[in-house]
Amino acid sequence: MVLFRRLLGDVLRDVRLQRGMTLREVSAEARVSLGYISEIERGQKEASSELLFSLCTALDVPLSDVLRDVSDAVALEEAASELAAVPAA
C-alpha cells in the first residue's frame, strides 16, 4: 500500500538535506516544533495544507514542486506494486 504521508516526508527530508538545513533551522523558520517536523519526515504524522505551506516557505521551495515530486514517487510505487503482483510466466 502506498502511504502518501511517508512519501511526502521523504520528499521534504530530501529537499531539506539538499538545502543543507537542519531540522532546527526549518523548525525556527516555519514556526513548527522540531519534533513534529521530524514525525512528518518519518511519515508518522499527516501535514495539514497550512503546515505544508509553512514548511515549503521555510525550505524556499514551491509547494507545487513538492507535490509533483510526491506524485512521481506515488506513481513509481504503484508501478512497482503492479509489477510485483504479476505472476511469473
Side-chain angles (χ1 to χ4, degrees):
M1 175 168 83
V2 177
L3 279 180
F4 180 84
R5 70 175 183 253
R6 182 181 54 80
L7 297 174
L8 174 63
D10 291 345
V11 168
L12 289 171
R13 182 183 310 106
D14 288 346
V15 170
R16 178 176 60 78
L17 294 175
Q18 287 171 5
R19 290 186 169 30
M21 295 179 75
T22 65
L23 280 172
R24 188 172 311 283
E25 290 169 330
V26 175
S27 172
E29 189 73 27
R31 297 182 183 178
V32 177
S33 79
L34 186 149
Y36 199 70
I37 295 172
S38 177
E39 288 179 311
I40 290 169
E41 284 190 359
R42 288 181 280 135
Q44 295 176 335
K45 295 285 184 184
E46 298 277 351
S48 68
S49 56
E50 293 86 358
L51 178 61
L52 188 52
F53 181 79
S54 292
L55 292 174
C56 289
T57 300
L59 292 166
D60 193 31
V61 61
L63 175 59
S64 58
D65 286 358
V66 169
L67 294 177
R68 187 175 306 108
D69 289 349
V70 174
S71 177
D72 291 346
V74 168
L76 286 173
E77 286 215 4
E78 288 174 338
S81 293
E82 288 175 14
L83 285 175
V86 174

